[in-house]
Amino acid sequence: MPVEIERKFLLSAFEPPPTAVRQHIEQGYIAIKEDGTEVRLRRIGGSFVLGVKRGTSGPEPSPVRIEVERELDEGEFADLWPATEGARLAKDRYTFDASGVTVYVDVYQGELAGLRTAEVEFDSEPEAAAFPAPDWFGPEITGVKAYKNQTLARQGLPKS
Amino acid sequence: MPVEIERKFLLSAFEPPPTAVRQHIEQGYIAIKEDGTEVRLRRIGGSFVLGVKRGTSGPEPSPVRIEVERELDEGEFADLWPATEGARLAKDRYTFDASGVTVYVDVYQGELAGLRTAEVEFDSEPEAAAFPAPDWFGPEITGVKAYKNQTLARQGLPKS
């Protein structure tokens, strides 16, 4: 089953380690439903991806989500992209190993500039729960709606 | 460009010709947006398909729509299917050649029983416009919102 189990944290500062792989990501949402189900277009490096994440009607925050993705060609992506108007964001993603796990740091751009997050994916919920966040991680935002990409793409940075 | 140009008609009666190929279709909508953009799951025979049709903000009815489809495996389909709750329909589709074109007749089931439609797809808008509907076709419903599958799946048969 295509399931995503992840935890997400804010970062106050970030200096990419020399081993980090950087990818530019532009993503937009074709649809975002009340239950959290989302249909996303993503350009990541030279790839184009259509993805559906099913929302859970269960209690939030849950680190588990069902996700299905398929590659598109550039023409298909361009044809569908207008359907994401008003729900887009851009970020640079740095991927590297740290503290025994793979860490994905997103440095947001444009209207979201200043926001940095770190995500870690796990194979199981117990593993996710047992993960000791390293010192350089800030507050945890797993499942926090205001920091979901689907919210950021439509509403911008949370008012603090 | 993945474009769909079609015309659609009501049928008052329908007797499948011996050459018709019959497929059972179950489909549900993950999302339907105000501009008509839809994200659809379809089980057709033994295949499972995720499709996105982009709505047009231009004047309706237009026979042209952008469509992107990808096959899913049965597990992915089952995982996403719950996201279509409240927006589903089932029908038998008969495909055959008649009047020099390929005709797709849909015989709806369940709450939509009694509804039958015929669709014809074209390579160009001029070709679509020039098509002489055969005598056994009923009123044309190309672009009529009440008869779109996305509307039928959520609202049932039009009140007449």
Side-chain angles (χ1 to χ4, degrees), chain B residues 35-52:
Chain B
D35 70 355
T37 297
E38 62 182 46
V39 182
R40 185 180 76 184
L41 287 180
R42 175 183 269 186
R43 175 204 296 262
I44 177 165
S47 295
F48 305 90
V49 180
L50 168 66
V52 181

Side-chain angles (χ1 to χ4, degrees), chain B residues 75-145:
Chain B
E76 292 171 322
F77 181 88
D79 283 341
L80 294 181
W81 186 249
T84 66
E85 196 178 343
R88 297 174 184 162
L89 60 78
K91 59 190 181 184
D92 278 338
R93 167 162 293 182
Y94 298 86
T95 304
F96 52 95
D97 291 331
S99 308
V101 293
T102 301
V103 179
Y104 304 89
V105 168
D106 286 345
V107 177
Y108 291 80
Q109 303 177 332
E111 292 179 18
L112 300 173
L115 177 63
R116 301 171 207 85
T117 62
E119 268 179 50
V120 184
E121 292 184 2
F122 303 95
D123 292 329
S124 70
E125 290 189 76
E127 195 187 323
F131 174 70
D135 286 346
W136 57 281
F137 279 20
E140 180 158 8
I141 51 170
T142 303
V144 176
K145 199 169 177 181

Side-chain angles (χ1 to χ4, degrees), chain B residues 14 64 104:
Chain B
F14 174 65
V64 183
Y104 304 89

